[in-house]
Each structure stands twice: as C-alpha cells, then as structure tokens.
Amino acid sequence: MKLSRIASLSILALAPFAYTQSTQSQDDEYAKLVKQWTTKPEFMSPLVDHLPKAPGIPTTRDVLGYYAGAPKKLTKVAELGKYYRALAAASKRVKILPTGTTDEGRECIVIAVSDEENIRNLDANKAALAKLADPRGLSDADAKKIIASAKPIYMFTGGLHSAETGPPEMLMELAYRLAVEDTPMYDQIRKNVIVMMSAVAEPDGRDRYVDWYNRYKISEEGENDRVPGPPYWGKYIFHDNNRDINYSQITMRNWLKFYLEWHPPIMHDLHESQPFLYTFSGQSPQNPTLDPILYAELPWFSNFEMTKMIGFGMPGVWTHAFVDMWSPGYLGFMSSNHNGMLRMYETFGNGGANTMKRTVGGGGPDGGAGEAAGGRGGRGGGMTSREWYRPVPPYRNVEWSMRNNTNFMETGVLSALELTAGFSSTILENFYKKSRNSIESGKTEAPYGYVLPAGQADMTRVAFIVNTLRLQGIEVGRATAEVKLKEGTYPAGSLIVKRNQPYGRLAKILLEKQNFPDPALTTYDDTGWTMGLMSNAQVQESADKAILDVAVQPVDQLAIPGLLKGSGAVTAIVQNGANSLATLRYRLKDQKFEAIEQAYKSGDVDLPAGSLLVASSPRVKSVIEELGLQAVTLAQAPNVPKHLLEVPRLAVFTTWGGTQDVGWVRYAFDHYEVNYDLIYKERIKKGNLRADYDVILVPSQGRGSGKALIFDIESKGKPYAYTKSADFPSLGAYGESEDITGGMGLAGVAELDKFVNQGGVLITLGGSSFFPAEFGLTRNVDAARTSAQFYAPGPIVEAEILKPTHPIFYGYTQKIVPVRWAGGPLLRVPTEDRKQILMQFPGTDKSVLSGLMRGVAETRNRPAVVDVPVGQGHVVMFATNPCYRWQNLGEFPMLANSILNFNDYPKADATPAAGPSAAANH
Ligand SMILES: [Zn+2]
C-alpha cells in the first residue's frame, strides 16, 4: 500500500493538471521540436510544452516556416508584421493597432488579443480607462461602475534593445496561444484582460541587428568566440532608447503617444541580460513621490511569478537586487510615471539564436554593450549564490538555447496574465486610486506647483521644458494676470504647472531637485535630471497653495514668437543663450554674420557680447521669427570689437564601437541644423585632415579611456565589414567600413596631432577628454581618474566660469552655471598655464545641486573646460559633456559657441587669467 501511495502521489505531481486539460488537438511537431531545443527538462514548463491546433488559425510555422525559439531563426520587422496580420485576419480575438513609423520608415504596430467581445469593444474600453486615468469629476460610485465593466490592458514591449533578440519571437507565440488555447486559464485571461504587445519596440534596430546576426553572429559557437555587435541599432542610439527621458526619439514618442491614448494600467518591458529570469520588484532607492500602492503591486507580481515558476521546477527565477525605482527615464516607466504599473524582466539571451555553453556571471548578451553584468543596482553578489530573493539560483555552467529563453519568458508572462485575470478589478481599482491620489496629493502636499516665469532672456529653453511636459500629458497653463505667491511675484504670461492633476506627481518628479535618499545606495542610472537646471532656465517651486487658484489658459504647445524690431540696414540678434542661434547661423549659412565681442545697448534693447549682426532682409526676419529669437535693426553695425562668424568645416569623429554618445550629438546637430561630416577611423587614417576640416569634434566615447578610444574594437585578425548589400540591406547605414575593428591606432593619433598643429580645432567631450592628455596632444594637461570611493551617477553640479569673455560663454550671464557631472577626467594644468582653464568645478557640498555625488571634494577646483593652444591650433577639452542625451540643453550653447567661434578664440598670451579680455581678434 505504501508503495502504491507513493506512486500515485508522484503521478499526481507530474500530471499537467490545469494547463492542458483541453480537448483541442495538439501540434505534435511543436511538442517534439521544442523539447529537442530545450536543453534540460527543468527549463520547460507545462504552460509551453505544447501548442494547440486551431483550424484556420496560423502558427508562426505556417506563415514563417518555424516556431518561436527555433535555433538560428530571428524574425525581421516585415515578417513580424506579416505573421500578426495573418493571425488577425484569421481570428476575431486579435486586432492590429498601427502606432506610427520609425526614423527609417518601418512600422510600429501593437497587437491586441482578448476575447471577441473585448476586441469588439476596444474603443469603449479605451474611453473607460481614460476616465480612470483622469478621474476628475468622477464620483467613487461612478468609478466603481466603470471598474465593474472595464478590462485592464496588459501591454508588453519587447525588442527595445536589439541585441536582446528573444522577446519579439516569444510574443508571436504568446499572441497565438492567447488567441487559440482553450482551457479555463486562457478563457479567464481573455475574458478579464486585454493583452497588447508591440511587434518590436525598436524596429530599425531589430532589422539591423538581425542582418548583422545573419551575416556574422549566426556562426558563433560559444561565448569565447563572440563577434562584436553591429555599430548601430536605431538611427542614433543603442541602449539609451531606454534612457530617453525627454522622448526625443520618434519611435519612443510613438509608444508614449500610444500609452496616453490607451492607458494600459500595466506595461511590461522584456529585456535580456540576467540568468535565467529576473523579475523587477521595484527595489530601493525608490522615488518616494510615486504612489505607495505601486510599491505594493510590484513585489506582488514578481513574487507570484516566482511562486509559479519555482513551483514548475524552473531554476534561476529571482527578483530584487538588480534594477531600482529611482530614475523615471526608462521607457517602461511611462506607465508608473502615469499612475500605471511598470513591470520588467531580464531573461538570459545569447545575443542571437544560437545554442551555446554559457558561464553565468559573464558579460551581457552582446559582449559588453548589454546591461551590466552583476547588476549595478544589486547587492546580491554572484548570480549563482542562493539568496532570500533567489531561492533556486541559476546554474554556473549551462548550455543555453533561444528556446530555453522563450520558455522562461513565456511561462513568466503567462503567470502574470493569470494573476491579472484573477484580480482584474483590483488592478483597475488601484489604477483609479493612484490617479485620484496623484490629484489629491497636489492639493494637500507641498509643493503645490511650479512657475516658469515669463520674461526670461531665452524663452525657447522654457518652451522646451513646457513642451516636454505636454508630451507627457502634463497640463500647463499660462497665467492671465500677474501671479503673487509667497516665493515672489511673476508677470502675466508665466507658465504654471499645478500639482492637482492626474500627472502632477510626474511634474514634481521631473521639475524638483532630486534628493537621493541614501548616499550608501547605488542606482542603475542617473541620480539627477531636474529639468530647470538641465535647461539652465528658471523654474520656481511653490509651497504656496494659492498657485492652485491662479487663473490660467491651457497651453497645448508653447511656441515662442520671434521678434524683430525696426527697419534699419543691419539686424542685430540678441545673444540670449538660445540654442536656435546656431540654427539661424546654419539656416542662413551663405550670409555674412558677425559676432560682437562687447555688450552694446540699442535704445532699450541690450545686445550682450556674442550677439549676431547680419544684413537685414525679409528672409532674415522670417527665420528670426520662426526660431523664436529676439532682434533689433540698426542703421549701421555698432562700433564695438567684433569678429566674422564663419561656418566651420566640421567633422564629428566616431569610433565604430561606441556610436551612442556620438548619436546624441548627431541628434542635437540634426535638430539644430548644424552641418557636419560624420567621420570614422578610415578618414582619420587617410590623413591631411586640415585640408578638409576646421574643427574635429570627438563626442564622449571610449568608456573613459584614451586607449579604448584609439584602439576601439579589438581586431582578432578577422575583418567585420559593415556594408550594405542585397542580403543585408540594413547594414552600412550612417557610414560604411570594410572592417570595423582596430580603431584609428597611433597613426590616427599622429594625424589628429598634425591637424591641430596646422591650425585645426580639436574639441573633446566628457570621457573623450582623456585622450588628448593621455596621448600627449596637450602635453601640459594631465587627466586623472576619481577614486574607487567616488560615486556620482549623473548629478547636476555647479561649474564656475573663469573666463566670461571667452566666446564659449556667449549667452551665459551668470558666473556659476549648473552642469551635469559627466564622469569625465579630473584635469590638471600646471599653475603657469591656469589661464587655459575656462571653467572649473567648485567641488563643495553645496555645489551639488541635484542627485548624488559621493566624494565631491575630489572634483574641487578641477577644470571643467580648458582651451589649450597647440601649434597653430587649439584643443578644447570638456570634462563635462555639453550634449548629453537631449537633456542638458543649458550646456549645449557652450558646444555650439566653441564650434561657431572656432577661429576667434582669444590668443592665449594676451589673455589675462581672469577678468575682461583685452585680446583683439579678427
Ligand atoms: Zn535591455
């Protein structure tokens, strides 16, 4: 008896109880293949070991020829669309929602899957969720009624990071399964939840990565013969598409627009980097402004997934100790920022679809460009240790396949959907409460709002803030009369952000000073992002409740009208630090512009140093008006020192291995219409740079090492061509190379040295500023590194301008300016050359304006910008990065000025150490 009892128990334990009790016929071929592709029995689950057949409804194999997770198969954007359209055509439970196009013209689509009735009622449900998202005017009783009939949307995004190749494959199978599988669990999911998914979150990068994979990575056999990744994913950036806090990129704007139209209460972003499945639980540091409900929901879900998956016997499923809840800039945070719930996975990807032996604890899926191994936010030690949050750790050595990855991801998300379906009204209730609490907290907790005063010298940077808030759905109003608050009096027309609105908490998060809660904590990304400081614009926080009653007109988009007064022969454009001054110069590049070197007053208009002069014309007037610039006309040019403002022949240098920070500079230059050639090692090594260029800009790259910048991707003897061909049409974009490895090498350094000595201007930003010091282009300047104790992920700090008359500072009226700490070099110049220091870091505790800088004293009096004369030319080294992720628009004028005034820097010998410049320039 005893024996048979044990036997029957074990049969019970192995029985696939709730999951496959369907009478549907099953796809035997699928079951056979996925078993074969799964490298250990415990990497499978009863949720994904079978696939039901449904007459007339195609699987991916019917349309594409293979199942998700098949070895060496990755699906491109057009094929993803083809599959989903075939599925939608065959099933009334599936609908395609077009969501715009990308930089390169690929389509973004969202696929909705639910039961027929929910799909039919999508628009009504959209309206219901919109009411819960903005419950003003809604009584609790009304809200209850809506909650009783509405369905939560659970939205998945996958493939945001192109090297993380699995999610777009898995999502196709998930959509099919949700559409056809016929068991109580699926019935309940379809009845209670509307599941949505992006086909792929970064379509341009998907196609480029798949082309690169098919060309090179498909022959990788193990993690020790890794091929470098492709030089580009999207048009401009790699991983930073998940750090685009101001939604500069078209594709990221598509998703935000979609979010604000549909209001999914849950958004789940699928990444790959950690073994075998990490599920985000919102660990500390947490942004305390977000609703406490959110912080309860996050571990609720992650613990449920662990419960299910560990119950299935799957190892390596864990939570905690990786990503935290501090920065609001990740793409998926659009959900928690708007009172929804962000969810996130990291699963174990091989950077392609090859099966290979992996050692856990190694690098990211794309050999370093992936999310940092080990977890910056983590304190959990090695990935293979048992911890309270990792009861069954991943294996140290494992053979891993794309299908394993698919099994883990799909089992996890199905568990999350099971939970959502079981508690769909709790999800909706919490969504409503978080929205309501956001409004209420704005009425009861200071700050009650923010004022962006009218009348600031440059209102275009104010407009940038306002329009970014508007993009996020935050309401902004224009005061109809003078505003009196306890903080001060502000003119009519000032912009007012009230906190008693659905996204009032997000407004606070974006505009306030970031008080990092505990200097002992680390975080995954930046600690500071305060928009007013980043834009060098005045934003006043108000603890005065009266701000809630200020009469305003709602602002849709804030346009700053340009103004040109007078009808004289010469137009003088006010230098007010507007970034569009660079646009003006480039849009009218054939005209002769001059910059005045001393302030001048014309009637009641102040023309600070750096103001531009150009011959008046209707075209000049219309461009000034388009760009929101302020100008007057004069009968003749004022009699003050001035110089010609020529458009330089500008090159932007990029390595092949670090194009991302360059990409942000390219984005800014394209936005402001600055003309440049993007050049690579190929052009540098050809030499004779001075014949083609006046200025070479080296944006931050090389991971803070001169050597890494110069030698770039290590050559292992085999060339990797990045060229376009019929088979690989997405390669060769933004530059071509027969071999992306090897870097410019010492021969390249010699060419840059020649360029400078022959009169060129070399400008280095952030981490690239190690290179001129380390390779001796600037022999007097040293570049040191901060100590191991120093920790400063992107705080905003003070910088002190020492040479206010240098053209780099045209448009800056303060001596102290806020800058983002860029992790650049600690520069040192000898005392006798201190006159080369244009700006420095005061480096005191009070000079940390927002975010965390641990070890601020290490930066004390270190140069922030130096202008070093070398031969006939100059090397300008920024320890800051004046063009960072479309965020620090207040620093950008320093970069634009350094380019536009390239041949008008003060002569070093004639420049006194401080005070007004006596230098006479041409
Ligand atoms: Zn990722």
Side-chain angles (χ1 to χ4, degrees):
M1 283 312 285
K2 212 176 177 186
L3 269 177
S4 81
R5 235 178 83 86
I6 290 167
S8 73
L9 259 181
S10 74
I11 286 164
L12 195 70
L14 291 173
F17 43 99
Y19 301 103
T20 52
Q21 60 188 220
S22 160
T23 54
Q24 284 175 294
S25 68
Q26 300 291 325
D27 185 335
D28 296 334
E29 183 70 4
Y30 171 94
K32 193 184 91 194
L33 287 172
V34 299
K35 192 173 172 193
Q36 197 179 306
W37 299 337
T38 300
T39 59
K40 275 181 181 298
E42 64 268 33
F43 297 160
M44 181 61 91
S45 84
L47 295 182
V48 296
D49 62 358
H50 63 280
L51 196 70
K53 282 189 188 166
I57 301 185
T59 64
T60 58
R61 189 170 194 241
D62 297 328
V63 176
L64 306 174
Y66 50 89
Y67 295 111
K72 303 201 171 186
K73 293 288 184 196
L74 293 178
T75 311
K76 292 178 78 169
V77 175
E79 276 63 44
L80 292 168
K82 186 175 159 196
Y83 174 67
Y84 284 121
R85 287 201 160 86
L87 183 65
S91 171
K92 290 197 169 73
R93 293 169 170 174
V94 181
K95 189 170 173 166
I96 308 285
L97 307 169
T99 315
T101 52
T102 66
D103 277 307
E104 296 178 3
R106 291 181 183 82
E107 64 170 4
C108 295
I109 55 170
V110 169
I111 300 88
V113 192
S114 195
D115 71 13
E116 274 189 53
E117 194 189 338
N118 289 338
I119 292 294
R120 242 190 347 262
N121 294 335
L122 273 182
D123 283 337
N125 199 73
K126 185 203 288 189
L129 290 180
K131 281 200 179 122
L132 300 179
D134 181 0
R136 285 174 294 191
L138 201 66
S139 68
D140 271 351
D142 293 339
K144 264 192 194 125
K145 263 187 229 156
I146 293 172
I147 290 164
S149 62
K151 313 288 176 181
I153 295 172
Y154 194 123
M155 163 95 180
F156 293 100
T157 48
L160 179 64
H161 289 161
S162 307
E164 300 161 21
T165 52
E169 307 295 327
M170 183 280 287
L171 288 170
M172 286 193 287
E173 183 170 302
L174 178 71
Y176 173 82
R177 207 180 278 286
L178 288 169
V180 307
E181 192 148 353
D182 185 15
T183 59
M185 180 180 103
Y186 285 91
D187 287 342
Q188 202 180 4
I189 292 173
R190 279 189 296 266
K191 181 163 167 279
N192 294 341
V193 187
I194 298 165
V195 181
M196 292 194 181
M197 59 191 77
S198 65
V200 57
E202 171 53 278
D204 294 340
R206 176 70 180 184
D207 275 1
R208 195 151 17 252
Y209 193 90
V210 174
D211 276 353
W212 186 260
Y213 170 80
N214 286 331
R215 187 165 183 179
Y216 296 115
K217 289 178 84 75
I218 199 164
S219 52
E220 278 179 348
E221 288 177 0
E223 57 187 355
N224 297 326
D225 72 337
R226 282 299 177 79
V227 170
Y232 293 95
W233 290 352
K235 180 175 181 180
Y236 293 109
I237 50 181
F238 280 84
H239 292 81
D240 276 3
N241 59 10
N242 204 21
R243 314 284 188 276
D244 187 13
I245 190 170
N246 293 323
Y247 292 90
S248 63
Q249 304 298 302
I250 288 175
T251 304
M252 304 312 124
R253 281 189 191 201
N254 289 343
W255 300 124
L256 180 63
K257 191 163 170 277
F258 179 87
Y259 182 88
L260 292 173
E261 180 183 346
W262 289 89
H263 302 102
I266 308 180
M267 195 153 166
H268 191 153
D269 201 19
L270 301 166
H271 289 259
E272 289 174 4
S273 72
Q274 299 299 315
F276 296 132
L277 185 145
Y278 157 81
T279 169
F280 178 70
S281 60
Q283 74 170 32
S284 62
Q286 298 179 328
N287 196 314
T289 300
L290 293 173
D291 201 293
I293 294 172
L294 172 70
Y295 294 119
E297 291 174 322
L298 291 173
W300 176 40
F301 268 78
S302 57
N303 285 332
F304 185 77
E305 288 156 342
M306 285 173 70
T307 305
K308 295 296 289 194
M309 295 180 75
I310 293 172
F312 291 140
M314 300 177 94
V317 180
W318 55 287
T319 186
H320 191 70
F322 190 51
V323 177
D324 59 85
M325 272 305 283
W326 185 248
S327 165
Y330 311 104
L331 185 74
F333 272 51
M334 71 173 70
S335 177
S336 38
N337 288 341
H338 294 92
N339 305 315
M341 189 201 317
L342 156 83
R343 309 215 54 243
M344 200 261 285
Y345 284 173
E346 299 281 355
T347 56
F348 203 36
N350 287 345
N354 293 12
T355 301
M356 60 175 76
K357 289 207 167 67
R358 296 291 303 275
T359 308
V360 167
D366 46 359
E371 247 115 10
R376 272 170 278 184
R379 291 169 299 284
M383 287 297 156
T384 54
S385 64
R386 190 200 167 280
E387 307 286 347
W388 65 263
Y389 49 82
R390 196 192 287 133
V392 188
Y395 305 159
R396 173 93 182 128
N397 294 295
V398 64
E399 180 172 47
W400 195 254
S401 69
M402 178 65 122
R403 187 63 217 186
N404 295 351
N405 184 26
T406 307
N407 294 342
F408 272 76
M409 248 186 293
E410 197 171 350
T411 302
V413 302
L414 283 166
S415 302
L417 291 174
E418 185 185 1
L419 180 65
T420 309
F423 293 89
S424 57
S425 55
T426 306
I427 299 293
L428 289 176
E429 221 173 281
N430 282 349
F431 180 50
Y432 159 67
K433 284 177 181 162
K434 287 180 284 185
S435 306
R436 193 196 58 190
N437 293 351
S438 178
I439 299 163
E440 291 304 312
S441 75
K443 297 176 189 167
T444 55
E445 295 164 21
Y448 300 102
Y450 293 83
V451 184
L452 290 77
Q456 300 186 40
D458 172 27
M459 289 301 287
T460 65
R461 278 175 281 137
V462 174
F464 165 73
I465 299 174
V466 168
N467 292 331
T468 303
L469 298 178
R470 294 292 304 125
L471 211 57
Q472 293 257 30
I474 295 165
E475 294 165 4
V476 182
R478 190 189 278 103
T480 52
E482 192 176 73
V483 180
K484 284 201 165 84
L485 298 170
K486 65 184 181 195
E487 289 82 10
T489 302
Y490 306 95
S494 292
L495 288 309
I496 307 290
V497 183
K498 300 179 183 182
R499 280 250 289 118
N500 59 343
Q501 56 167 309
Y503 307 144
R505 283 174 162 166
L506 176 58
K508 173 176 181 284
I509 289 169
L510 294 173
L511 296 174
E512 73 185 346
K513 170 191 172 172
Q514 276 76 53
N515 290 305
F516 196 71
D518 177 354
L521 290 176
T522 59
T523 185
Y524 198 74
D525 200 65
D526 285 347
T527 52
W529 51 82
T530 312
M531 290 188 81
L533 294 174
M534 283 286 202
S535 308
N536 195 15
Q538 194 193 344
V539 178
Q540 177 62 52
E541 188 167 275
S542 179
D544 190 338
K545 242 182 185 172
I547 194 170
L548 300 178
D549 299 318
V550 170
V552 296
Q553 289 170 328
V555 172
D556 180 23
Q557 286 288 298
L558 184 60
I560 302 302
L563 185 64
L564 175 60
K565 288 188 211 163
S567 56
V570 175
T571 298
I573 303 101
V574 176
Q575 172 54 268
N576 58 1
N579 286 314
S580 51
L581 285 163
T583 314
L584 170 78
R585 181 66 196 95
Y586 279 92
R587 208 177 277 181
L588 300 172
K589 63 173 170 291
D590 298 330
Q591 311 235 6
K592 181 183 151 192
F593 276 81
E594 289 177 303
I596 60 172
E597 295 174 352
Q598 281 173 18
Y600 179 80
K601 199 168 170 73
S602 166
D604 60 347
V605 177
D606 285 318
L607 293 167
S611 294
L612 311 187
L613 305 175
V614 63
S616 300
S617 74
R619 170 83 178 132
V620 164
K621 181 172 161 47
S622 73
V623 174
I624 285 168
E625 286 167 354
E626 285 158 27
L627 296 174
L629 296 167
Q630 311 298 311
V632 287
T633 63
L634 311 169
Q636 58 190 55
N639 186 24
V640 294
K642 45 188 167 303
H643 60 250
L644 262 182
L645 203 63
E646 289 145 308
V647 171
R649 298 169 303 158
L650 171 65
V652 174
F653 170 73
T654 182
T655 54
W656 284 107
T659 63
Q660 173 156 279
D661 287 357
V662 182
W664 285 113
V665 173
R666 287 168 50 225
Y667 175 78
F669 283 5
D670 290 353
H671 182 91
Y672 291 125
E673 304 173 28
V674 172
N675 300 145
Y676 61 95
D677 287 350
L678 183 64
I679 63 167
Y680 298 83
K681 65 177 165 100
E682 284 78 3
R683 175 65 193 88
I684 300 278
K685 289 207 281 201
K686 234 168 78 184
N688 207 9
L689 293 162
R690 191 68 188 98
D692 287 347
Y693 299 112
D694 301 306
V695 178
I696 297 178
L697 171 66
V698 185
S700 189
Q701 55 202 302
R703 305 182 301 279
S705 149
K707 266 195 268 184
L709 177 78
I710 299 308
F711 297 105
D712 196 23
I713 305 167
E714 189 189 347
S715 172
K716 290 180 177 163
K718 184 184 166 188
Y720 292 102
Y722 177 67
T723 48
K724 188 182 168 112
S725 66
D727 287 340
F728 309 114
S730 304
L731 305 184
Y734 315 113
E736 286 197 304
S737 177
E738 289 305 324
D739 181 14
I740 62 169
T741 72
M744 71 167 81
L746 294 174
V749 176
E751 292 302 337
L752 288 172
D753 188 49
K754 244 185 259 172
F755 168 76
V756 175
N757 276 288
Q758 291 169 357
V761 174
L762 179 71
I763 302 172
T764 58
L765 309 184
S768 289
S769 292
F770 281 102
F771 136 73
E774 291 179 345
F775 283 78
L777 271 71
T778 53
R779 286 180 195 90
N780 63 329
V781 181
D782 285 330
R785 288 176 173 74
T786 48
S787 73
Q789 290 74 43
F790 182 86
Y791 181 61
I796 304 168
V797 300
E798 288 180 336
E800 181 186 5
I801 295 173
L802 300 180
K803 294 289 176 61
T805 57
H806 195 290
I808 281 187
F809 301 115
Y810 285 161
Y812 291 88
T813 51
Q814 332 94 292
K815 194 169 157 54
I816 302 283
V817 291
V819 299
R820 179 184 175 277
W821 173 255
L826 297 175
L827 298 174
R828 185 192 297 281
V829 298
T831 313
E832 64 270 25
D833 292 332
R834 278 195 66 82
K835 60 183 180 292
Q836 296 171 359
I837 304 173
L838 307 184
M839 186 166 88
Q840 71 179 11
F841 299 108
T844 64
D845 285 340
K846 81 159 193 37
S847 56
V848 181
L849 302 174
S850 187
L852 172 69
M853 180 177 267
R854 204 159 70 200
V856 61
E858 294 186 30
T859 69
R860 192 160 301 156
N861 295 334
R862 289 289 190 163
V865 185
V866 297
D867 168 11
V868 185
V870 175
Q872 302 295 303
H874 288 256
V875 178
V876 178
M877 299 158 77
F878 284 82
T880 53
N881 180 357
C883 189
Y884 173 75
R885 288 185 184 170
W886 200 237
Q887 272 186 266
N888 54 349
L889 270 61
E891 291 180 69
F892 188 80
M894 294 185 212
L895 177 57
N897 287 337
S898 68
I899 291 167
L900 282 173
N901 298 280
F902 70 102
N903 54 0
D904 299 289
Y905 295 170
K907 296 277 179 290
D909 294 338
T911 311
S917 167
N921 299 301
H922 61 94

